[in-house]
Amino acid sequence: MKYNKVSFILHLFNIIVFAFSFSLSAKAQTSSDNSIYYRNAIVNPTEPNDLPSGIHFFTKKKDKDLELNDTLNAIYDLRLLSIAEFKIGNNFNSENHAVEALNIIESMSTKDTLIDSRVGLYNQLGRIYRTSNNPIEAIRTFDKALEIANKLKDSVIILNNKANIYKDELDYIKALDIYTLLHKKQAQLNAYELALVVDNLGQVQSKLNLPEGLQNLKYALELRETNNDFIGQHSSNTHLAEFYLDKKDTTIAKMYAEKALALSGKINSSSFKLEAISTLMNMDRNPLLHEYKKLTDSITNAKQIAENKNAFLKYNVAEEQKKTQASILLQEIESRKRLAYQSLAFIIFLILVGSYFIYRNRYHKAKIEEIYKTETRIAKKVHDEVANDMYKVMTSLENNSGVDSKVIDEMEKIYTKTRDISRENSAIDLKNDFDLQLNDLLLGYKNNKVNVITRNLSKMPWNTVTEHKKTAIYRVLQELMTNMRKHSQATFVTLVFKKEGSKIQIIYRDNGVGCDLFKKNGLQHTESRIASLNGTINFESKQDDGFMASIII
């Protein structure tokens, strides 16, 4: 019993699932069938309500597809809407739908694969511009379609439509060339395409008074009647009415015009109806009616041209904006490249300038080091070779009783000078405390006759001063002190040390007899040392009024 209940429940569940699946399948099938039905209603309308009902269906479908982000189906919907609106004479909405579809394609990364859609939309725009009296834009869009078309069927339709522009512009020779070329390919055309080509060929032939023109016009009408093509029949009857009107046979012309008017009612197209009525009005002999039609056509044409300009500005603004944006982007990229190149050039320039100064500074330091090394080497050589040899000669002469003591005294003076020169240019030990080194140097010139006073020497941040500067300071002060001892007869010397920002200032003063600054008593060497470090040294002195030197490094 328990088994039977379980089996019954499972069986019931399977029935429900099957019913639900069948319902979904039926619903999907119904939706697909509806789409095919309304597509045929637009492409081949046979009833007056076909086009309005097709527009209503695909408008709702387009909105739903866009909501679902189904762009491919949305493009398909917009193409059909553009065709339907065009057939009922609503060029404004037809253009709107075509441009919206093209904008969607342009936003897709796969736009290059949607060739059929792009060709169809460009062709549709060309047809719209033709009926809107905008031949230049029509030819431009047809040419864009031909550039990407890769099917014979598409090329036939586009070339036929392009030839229609030449026909409208009364350039029948150019139009005939294209129609004749297409007619030669009739074996590859279907019934609809063949009727289209033959009808247009016949109309151009009749305008050029070629005998086969009428035959082709009638043959095209037969094909369209066989295919139940109401729009094609309307076109054929209109062309036949024009043919007989040109031949002054108004009776037959009126018959075909009335057929075209009846067909426009079946198609439910106001533009087709207006075209048929206009053809009938051309057959009336009333001059006021012709004048009225002429004025009406002139006003309508002027209004249409104005609308074309507005439509062209409005619906091609997206493409122009894209071109503008692309141009701006390209300019921005070029500007960024220029800025990058300029920045790179500026950086290279800075590197070169920096390298120059670094190299010059290194060269300068190397040169100073070489000078100091040379001075030290000469001092050592003077001490080790000249002074020592001099001392040996003096010792030898002192042991010789026959030598005049004055000679020995003069040699001792020479020895002392030699030793002093060596000491003044000997190596400086900068590894120990520099303030102590400098203090020892200055106090070495202090004696019973000369008093040397320093201020702030020990307070200076000597550890932040480079060895080159320390060496220069040491040698300059050594030369000043030596010059003081030799020439100034001073009894009092002061040296004041100051720190001014990143620079060091040293002020030297003595109370000696002064000197002539034009001669400077051999102090040019001190200027050279300070200048090598981009520093300055200034002297102030008057005869019998002491000597002052201000050093800034």
Side-chain angles (χ1 to χ4, degrees), residues 192-434:
Y192 171 82
E193 294 163 354
L194 180 60
L196 183 69
V197 171
V198 171
D199 181 50
N200 287 322
L201 177 62
Q203 187 186 20
V204 171
Q205 288 170 336
S206 65
K207 294 294 182 182
L208 294 171
N209 294 318
L210 298 176
E212 57 266 41
L214 179 60
Q215 180 183 348
N216 282 326
L217 287 172
K218 289 184 176 180
Y219 178 50
L221 179 59
E222 290 175 10
L223 290 172
R224 285 165 167 172
E225 287 175 342
T226 302
N227 296 324
N228 206 25
D229 179 5
F230 289 160
I231 293 176
Q233 290 177 52
H234 177 276
S235 180
S236 287
N237 280 287
T238 300
H239 292 162
L240 283 165
E242 289 177 0
F243 173 83
Y244 284 106
L245 188 60
D246 289 341
K247 301 297 182 182
K248 309 300 182 181
D249 190 343
T250 55
T251 302
I252 300 178
K254 186 176 181 182
M255 178 191 71
Y256 282 113
E258 287 175 346
K259 285 184 178 181
L261 180 61
L263 286 164
S264 67
K266 290 184 179 181
I267 301 169
N268 194 25
S269 170
S270 57
S271 63
F272 284 2
K273 187 175 291 186
L274 182 63
E275 184 181 5
I277 293 173
S278 178
T279 303
L280 286 168
M281 290 175 68
N282 286 334
M283 301 173 191
D284 198 292
R285 297 181 181 272
N286 190 337
L288 290 177
L289 188 62
H290 282 279
E291 184 66 21
Y292 170 78
K293 183 178 180 299
K294 184 178 179 181
L295 290 172
T296 304
D297 289 345
S298 177
I299 293 170
T300 302
N301 187 53
K303 184 179 179 182
Q304 185 65 63
I305 291 172
E307 288 179 353
N308 289 345
K309 291 180 180 178
N310 293 333
F312 178 76
L313 291 174
K314 181 177 179 181
Y315 291 108
N316 287 281
V317 69
E319 186 175 351
E320 292 302 318
Q321 283 178 343
K322 287 178 181 178
K323 291 179 180 178
T324 303
Q325 289 173 355
S327 177
I328 292 172
L329 180 60
L330 184 61
Q331 290 176 5
E332 186 176 346
I333 292 171
E334 292 298 324
S335 177
R336 288 181 179 177
K337 282 183 179 178
R338 278 198 305 271
L339 183 60
Y341 291 146
Q342 289 171 356
S343 300
L344 182 60
F346 182 68
I347 290 170
I348 292 173
F349 173 75
L350 289 179
I351 291 172
L352 290 175
V353 171
S355 300
Y356 167 74
F357 283 108
I358 291 172
Y359 175 77
R360 191 180 73 167
N361 189 44
R362 287 180 179 175
Y363 174 77
H364 196 53
K365 287 182 178 179
K367 189 175 180 181
I368 293 172
E369 287 178 358
E370 186 62 31
I371 291 171
Y372 292 159
K373 288 178 181 178
T374 302
E375 289 177 346
T376 303
R377 186 172 65 253
I378 291 172
K380 188 173 185 302
K381 198 165 186 178
V382 168
H383 180 271
D384 293 345
E385 297 182 13
V386 179
N388 288 341
D389 289 346
M390 183 66 70
Y391 184 77
K392 289 178 181 178
V393 172
M394 285 173 54
T395 303
S396 176
L397 291 175
E398 284 179 353
N399 295 327
N400 190 340
S401 58
V403 178
D404 190 349
S405 60
K406 290 181 180 181
V407 175
I408 296 174
D409 291 339
E410 290 299 324
M411 292 187 68
E412 186 174 358
K413 289 179 182 179
I414 296 171
Y415 170 73
T416 302
K417 287 181 181 180
T418 306
R419 186 186 60 190
D420 289 342
I421 291 170
S422 175
R423 186 182 300 148
E424 288 172 5
N425 295 281
S426 61
I428 305 169
D429 185 7
L430 299 173
K431 295 181 180 179
N432 296 324
D433 296 334
F434 184 67

Side-chain angles (χ1 to χ4, degrees), residues 76 95 128 146-147 151 165 251 355 456 464 479 509:
Y76 173 79
E95 183 184 29
I128 294 168
L146 286 170
E147 285 177 6
K151 294 180 181 177
I165 304 295
T251 302
S355 300
N456 299 328
T464 62
E479 290 183 31
R509 291 180 187 273

